[in-house]
Amino acid sequence: RWNRTMGMNRILAGAVFALSLLGAPAMAVEEPAFETSLTDGSFEIRDYPALVVAEVTVPGGQKEAANAGFRLLADYIFGGNSGKASIAMTAPVEQKPAGEKIAMTAPVTQTESAGAWVVRFTMPSAYTLDTLPAPNDPKVRLRETPPARFAVVRFSGVAQPGLVAEKTA
């Protein structure tokens, strides 16, 4: 059933997602802390601490999986949780092939593989696994990622498969 609140939430989620794909700042959003080990133009090597994330695994192509995963996670942060709490949007939104480790880029990492994707939102730093409300949807998993080093390439434009493959290469 459609209501005004759901409509505004979907519009906001769509706008944030679209702007994140375009590489433009939609609003002041928290990004995880990191240390930069190397910078060369748009390329960086970054060291990230352990992060608390909400993630889903969804089947389909890159675009379909990104949309489906984003909707599931947006529902969680817009109140689809045990506390009906609204959780702030953060950057980056991460998408990667299921079962395969790839580098994270901001705002979205996307590469085609085997038809299943993990879409991940990093939770605001004020939360721990113990303080986050439980998701209402069992597809949404909360977990902590281990500290990690990532190669990052910043670019603007819509994260279409061809552009992502070019930047990954």
Side-chain angles (χ1 to χ4, degrees):
R1 186 173 167 202
W2 183 264
N3 66 41
R4 186 179 185 142
T5 302
M6 287 173 56
M8 292 306 293
N9 284 347
R10 288 183 185 188
I11 290 167
L12 176 61
V16 169
F17 183 59
L19 288 169
S20 72
L21 289 177
L22 293 171
M27 58 187 78
V29 295
E30 180 181 341
E31 293 187 48
F34 60 87
E35 291 186 18
T36 304
S37 300
L38 173 81
T39 301
D40 185 2
S42 62
F43 176 80
E44 293 181 347
I45 300 293
R46 295 180 181 175
D47 294 311
Y48 285 85
L51 300 171
V52 176
V53 300
E55 66 183 20
V56 294
T57 302
V58 289
Q62 170 200 349
K63 186 175 181 179
E64 298 79 20
N67 288 335
F70 189 91
R71 280 192 304 272
L72 289 165
L73 294 169
D75 182 60
Y76 170 68
I77 69 168
F78 290 137
N81 55 64
S82 61
K84 296 183 180 167
S86 184
I87 300 167
M89 183 76 188
T90 64
V93 174
E94 182 180 349
Q95 180 181 356
K96 68 178 189 166
E100 191 177 316
K101 291 184 178 181
I102 61 172
M104 178 176 71
T105 61
V108 181
T109 298
Q110 302 177 42
T111 307
E112 186 174 2
S113 177
W117 299 80
V118 174
V119 181
R120 179 180 295 155
F121 282 10
T122 301
M123 296 291 97
S125 60
Y127 289 98
T128 67
L129 286 176
D130 294 330
T131 61
L132 277 170
N136 291 343
D137 191 323
K139 293 181 206 108
V140 177
R141 297 175 308 279
L142 302 177
R143 70 181 196 88
E144 186 174 279
T145 63
R149 174 170 277 185
F150 292 104
V152 177
V153 177
R154 289 187 177 265
F155 64 94
S156 61
V158 177
Q160 298 290 344
L163 180 58
V164 171
E166 173 190 325
K167 297 300 180 180
T168 300

